[in-house]
Amino acid sequence: MKRIALKDYEIVFANELDFLSQFIKDKSPSAVFVLVDANTEKYCLPVIENHIKPFNYKKISIAAGEENKHLGTCEIIWKNLLDNHADRKALMINLGGGVIGDMGGFAASCYKRGIDFINIPTTVLSQVDASIGGKLAVDFKYGKNLIGLFRNPGLVFISTEFYQSLSEREYKNGFAEIFKHALIRSKEQWEKLSSLSSLYAENIDKIIFDSVMVKKEVVEIDPFEKGLRKILNFGHTIGHAVEAVSIEESKAPLFHGEAVVVGMICEAFLSTKQSTLTQRELTEIIEILGKHFTKYDISLFDREKVWNYMLMDKKNEASIVQYAGLNAIGEANYNQVLDKEAFQEALDFYQNL
Ligand SMILES: NC(=O)c1ccc[n+]([C@@H]2O[C@H](COP(=O)([O-])OP(=O)(O)OC[C@H]3O[C@@H](n4cnc5c(N)ncnc54)[C@H](O)[C@@H]3O)[C@@H](O)[C@H]2O)c1
Ligand SMILES: [Zn+2]
């Protein structure tokens, strides 16, 4: 069993779950609640059920999907806790992807001014990204993650057992962030990933561990995104906007990770102009990402809309669009200014690949 110790909690990697029951026992909560969505109730709860049964847990089940990540669903969660007389020593286990982790953590943090919670992320994306760094939020009116706070879980429990029920598309979705972590911080990991012929790798546990380590190091240095943490946004300035427009305009919208791959290629291209990334490195990035992700036809997207989304980005300062770029493979920068002309050029570059 591997562990990563952070300042006030641990991330534990294990495919046997005895550790989980021991952790709960040691905490001796007054009650245990497990938050699931329809999919994780069906596929993931059975994996942990025997280990939490002794605590006579109560299940809170909500509908799956980003469209349910809002205050209305939190009300359902809070009502459930109240109806079951949960006090401030109750413990919430968030069993699911990033939606469950973000919203469950948020709901737990507000309930009676905060009860403890454990995150058991069950998608690749939530394991390497959403479950670390303490960002908790729900979507609200104008956009994603607008209402939220920073607060850490008591424990993050990561197991690759949960992948068995993930579709290939969901599985790959998380790999976009794994590639991102390597590109911004570890040439060594990038080289290991580059040699994979399939993402269903035998050493998947190690790949996940190494990827989590990158995020852990970054958020520990800069927990509140004052500087360095911004490198985690590599691929996300253009990626988020492309994702938002694809959700708005397309019958078959891109997944987050797929849009981030588009964003990473565009922002790597920009890095050859505005930073020191070489042409050779750019070609390598395109080749490796292209091995696992298909090229998307972005010509149908309304570019004005994409640009307007970028203007609304939470990360902008004084309405100037900024992105995180690469100085080299394994070394990122941030606060790079992006004007509309360069944005057009980057999208043209992607489109003509
Ligand atoms: N807090 C952060 O730092 C952070 C970072 C990245 C993303 N996020 C958030 O995470 C969310 C995206 O996470 P996600 O991609 O995990 O989305 P998700 O939670 O919606 O999960 C994707 C789908 O997979 C299903 N699912 C989950 N685990 C499964 C399993 N093991 N087997 C079968 N189906 C399973 C879910 O029911 C859902 O339908 C977004 O809301 C995003 O804002 C947060
Ligand atoms: Zn992301």
Side-chain angles (χ1 to χ4, degrees):
M1 189 171 74
K2 282 187 160 183
R3 294 162 178 221
I4 298 179
L6 287 99
K7 217 167 64 199
D8 50 356
Y9 70 105
E10 269 193 318
I11 304 171
V12 172
F13 297 75
N15 288 335
E16 48 335 308
L17 290 124
D18 298 345
F19 183 85
L20 177 64
S21 24
Q22 192 55 47
F23 179 89
I24 301 173
K25 218 182 198 167
D26 293 346
K27 268 220 151 320
S28 64
S30 55
V32 175
F33 293 83
V34 180
L35 180 68
V36 285
D37 66 26
N39 296 320
T40 61
E41 176 172 8
K42 185 169 170 195
Y43 298 114
C44 305
L45 191 53
V47 179
I48 67 161
E49 187 143 36
N50 279 340
H51 299 269
I52 54 172
K53 227 185 218 155
F55 304 103
N56 199 16
Y57 74 91
K58 306 241 168 18
K59 180 175 70 190
I60 305 177
S61 186
I62 59 169
E66 182 74 31
E67 63 275 22
N68 297 298
K69 190 181 168 187
H70 54 67
L71 289 170
T73 312
C74 291
E75 284 189 24
I76 296 173
I77 299 169
W78 291 322
K79 182 168 184 308
N80 235 292
L81 293 169
L82 286 167
D83 288 347
N84 285 291
H85 313 290
D87 62 23
R88 290 176 77 177
K89 278 207 74 198
L91 173 73
M92 182 120 115
I93 300 177
N94 300 317
L95 180 68
V99 167
I100 288 287
D102 278 14
M103 181 163 53
F106 172 78
S109 302
C110 297
Y111 182 76
K112 298 195 173 169
R113 299 201 182 87
I115 58 171
D116 286 340
F117 64 96
I118 293 177
N119 274 350
I120 307 184
T122 58
T123 59
V124 178
L125 186 136
S126 57
Q127 291 190 350
V128 300
D129 195 355
S131 66
I132 320 141
K135 282 187 181 176
L136 308 171
V138 291
D139 305 338
F140 186 71
K141 292 193 192 293
Y142 306 114
K144 278 185 68 173
N145 299 326
L146 291 178
I147 306 296
L149 69 154
F150 283 95
R151 188 161 177 262
N152 285 323
L155 172 76
V156 176
F157 195 89
I158 292 183
S159 167
T160 50
E161 292 264 306
F162 297 117
Y163 297 172
Q164 281 165 23
S165 50
L166 281 181
S167 69
E168 187 182 351
R169 195 173 172 205
E170 273 303 348
Y171 181 78
K172 280 182 157 186
N173 186 40
F175 263 83
E177 306 288 354
I178 293 177
F179 280 111
K180 180 195 77 179
H181 285 165
L183 282 170
I184 59 172
R185 198 86 174 152
S186 172
K187 189 164 166 58
E188 190 191 333
Q189 277 174 40
W190 171 257
E191 276 162 8
K192 283 189 197 151
L193 292 170
S194 301
S195 67
L196 294 177
S197 51
S198 157
L199 297 180
Y200 288 94
E202 267 174 35
N203 60 341
I204 183 66
D205 291 275
K206 171 93 173 89
I207 292 173
I208 299 298
F209 181 86
D210 288 345
S211 194
V212 169
M213 270 307 267
V214 169
K215 179 146 186 191
K216 177 252 178 192
E217 276 172 23
V218 173
V219 299
E220 247 185 356
I221 295 169
D222 176 21
F224 301 113
E225 207 165 311
K226 302 274 185 248
L228 183 74
R229 187 169 178 165
K230 294 181 187 178
I231 67 173
L232 293 168
N233 295 324
F234 172 60
H236 282 64
T237 300
I238 293 179
H240 262 153
V242 164
E243 180 188 6
V245 172
S246 101
I247 290 169
E248 210 178 296
E249 291 199 347
S250 168
K251 285 202 187 83
L254 296 180
F255 278 13
H256 174 74
E258 295 164 346
V260 166
V261 170
V262 177
M264 286 196 287
I265 292 174
C266 292
E267 291 172 23
F269 166 79
L270 291 168
S271 302
T272 61
K273 309 262 167 202
Q274 298 179 345
S275 306
T276 49
L277 191 75
T278 64
Q279 281 298 331
R280 237 188 54 208
E281 288 173 304
L282 173 64
T283 309
E284 187 182 325
I285 292 169
I286 294 167
E287 189 206 318
I288 301 302
L289 293 179
K291 204 155 81 176
H292 305 290
F293 296 89
T294 40
K295 197 191 147 204
Y296 303 101
D297 184 5
I298 57 165
S299 65
L300 300 172
F301 291 173
D302 181 338
R303 284 210 190 167
E304 259 332 285
K305 266 195 192 161
V306 178
W307 178 249
N308 284 335
Y309 266 106
M310 286 167 54
L311 286 174
M312 290 190 312
D313 196 311
K314 284 197 286 293
K315 301 182 294 289
N316 294 342
E317 279 167 30
S319 297
I320 294 170
V321 178
Q322 298 189 341
Y323 72 99
L326 298 177
N327 293 329
I329 288 177
E331 191 193 321
N333 53 43
Y334 54 90
N335 288 356
Q336 296 290 318
V337 171
L338 179 57
D339 62 29
K340 197 168 176 187
E341 205 178 312
F343 155 78
Q344 295 280 16
E345 221 188 313
L347 261 65
D348 285 342
F349 172 79
Y350 180 87
Q351 212 160 295
N352 295 328
L353 279 177

